Amino acid sequence: MDVTWLRSDTLEVGVIAHGARIVAVRTPDREGRWGDIALGLADEDAYRRDRDYLGACVGRFANRIASGRFTLDGTEYRIPQNEPGAALHGGPEAFEHATWEKDESGAGSVTLHRLSPDGENGFPGALRVSVTYAVDGAELRIEHEAGTDAPTVVNLTNHTYWNLAGGGSVEDHEVSLTAWRFLPVDEHLIPSGSPVAVAGTPFDLRTPQRIGARLREGHPQLRAARGYDHTFVIDGPSGALRTAAFVVEPRSGRTLQLRTDQPGVQFYTGNMLDGTLVLRDGSAARQGDAFCLEPQSFPDSPNRPDFTSTVLRPGEVYRSRSILRFGTTG
């Protein structure tokens, strides 16, 4: 497997061209012992078979589009559905299984790019897209950029699965999200209305909470998604870099801070991991063994004029920026 390594004294990140994927993230714990905190697979063949998007750049449209349909400028477009009632992450065999071109800067960063042709998975317009991964000290910067020759919709994110302990369940990880609202979903995990307040619900993560603290309460939204798989509306102005999440793993002391300029972050607790995915160390990934923090625009935005627009037109440039900072508690 041709892995490009980005390194500093406290952080190592491995990237491959298949799916523009992050395949490993290594950091030290509070005792200085290094460990891999991102779920990864054994080889490139395993990534080609992967259906859980491990570490991938997903698109053209991250998250879900209801019924795989949307109308843009009076024309209806249909995206193949790859789960009941929705096209997820751009439909089947999308960006996560494309071969990207890789440009290594030699200075702690790598840029991967591709041309998504007009009509790929039903999306209009030829889209030139790139993602840059850069390591600087304890920070990993992820930047997406895209341009189109015809009106289209774009929503890109990274889909790394995190476990700051390096294995086992993440239910004892403590997470806080800078969000006083979230998007409730229907049975197909499509937003069912406008953002609602988190107060008084298991979605109130404004102060640190164990991931597993309220998973079994039977809240209708947790039942619908089999855990957390919801968009949280990040406080503050969209487009400005601001803190979205902070996670602590108490035993190792490892921490993860996410800052992003996107309007939302999808908090996902690996609910679809069912033991069939075999990881690099030979273990089977099961529900609750990892979590994802996916900065993005809101799901189903092409069908929701009340949401932030995800339309990209010729002459415009789509950009998104996220910074992950890794550390330890004292």
Side-chain angles (χ1 to χ4, degrees):
M1 189 160 58
D2 183 14
V3 181
T4 297
W5 286 99
L6 312 175
R7 292 185 171 97
S8 72
D9 290 342
T10 58
L11 179 60
E12 296 180 349
V13 177
V15 177
I16 64 171
H18 181 81
R21 293 177 187 247
I22 292 173
V23 297
V25 178
R26 300 171 180 164
T27 65
D29 65 12
R30 66 159 65 92
E31 304 300 329
R33 295 171 299 212
W34 285 70
D36 197 342
I37 61 172
L39 269 58
L41 305 179
D43 53 38
E44 196 157 323
D45 284 342
Y47 281 106
R48 290 191 183 99
R49 297 189 299 270
D50 170 45
R51 292 297 177 264
D52 292 296
Y53 308 94
L54 265 71
C57 173
V58 294
R60 285 189 195 190
F61 199 92
N63 219 307
R64 293 168 174 88
I65 296 176
S67 301
R69 298 183 181 185
F70 65 93
T71 299
L72 177 59
D73 295 341
T75 299
E76 184 183 78
Y77 297 94
R78 298 190 179 191
I79 314 305
Q81 297 182 48
N82 51 346
E83 65 174 32
L88 174 65
H89 294 328
E93 302 294 325
F95 283 14
E96 79 282 2
H97 285 299
T99 298
W100 297 59
E101 298 294 324
K102 190 191 301 184
D103 297 328
E104 300 178 35
S105 73
S109 71
V110 61
T111 297
L112 301 104
H113 56 88
R114 72 178 298 256
L115 174 64
S116 173
D118 178 32
E120 184 174 58
N121 263 2
F123 288 98
L127 187 79
R128 293 192 176 275
V129 59
S130 68
V131 55
T132 297
Y133 301 110
V135 165
D136 182 10
E139 293 185 343
L140 168 62
R141 186 178 79 250
I142 304 175
E143 296 180 341
H144 299 94
E145 187 170 302
T148 183
D149 66 357
T152 191
V153 295
V154 182
N155 187 27
L156 305 176
T157 193
N158 176 264
H159 206 296
T160 296
Y161 287 74
W162 302 103
N163 184 318
L164 303 186
S169 171
V170 298
E171 288 198 12
D172 285 336
H173 285 50
E174 297 171 356
V175 61
S176 55
L177 299 175
T178 311
W180 69 271
R181 294 177 298 163
F182 81 104
L183 284 171
V185 296
D186 64 16
E187 68 274 15
H188 298 305
L189 304 186
I190 303 294
S192 56
S194 299
V196 299
V198 299
T201 77
F203 297 84
D204 191 347
L205 303 174
R206 292 174 291 179
T207 58
Q209 305 286 331
R210 287 180 55 253
I211 288 177
R214 303 184 69 178
L215 280 177
R216 295 167 180 82
E217 286 190 3
H219 188 281
Q221 283 294 300
L222 293 177
R223 291 202 308 270
R226 297 195 287 179
Y228 294 100
D229 192 3
H230 296 77
T231 299
F232 288 74
V233 182
I234 304 167
D235 297 347
S238 178
L241 196 65
R242 61 219 190 277
T243 298
F246 191 78
V247 186
V248 178
E249 201 288 302
R251 290 173 297 165
S252 68
R254 290 191 182 95
T255 64
L256 183 161
Q257 179 199 52
L258 168 66
R259 289 180 290 154
T260 186
D261 59 5
Q262 293 300 286
V265 61
Q266 188 82 2
F267 177 47
Y268 172 56
T269 48
N271 313 325
M272 304 301 178
L273 299 175
D274 60 3
T276 58
L277 183 69
V278 179
L279 302 177
R280 184 164 39 236
D281 63 2
S283 63
R286 295 190 177 277
Q287 184 178 19
D289 284 352
F291 67 92
C292 299
L293 294 168
E294 306 162 54
Q296 58 188 262
S297 291
F298 298 164
D300 203 32
S301 292
N303 294 311
R304 294 292 300 268
D306 53 323
F307 287 176
T308 302
S309 175
T310 52
V311 175
L312 183 70
R313 298 186 181 278
E316 300 175 342
V317 179
Y318 168 93
R319 291 188 178 93
S320 71
R321 181 165 63 129
S322 298
I323 298 175
L324 295 159
R325 183 173 181 84
F326 304 92
T328 58
T329 58

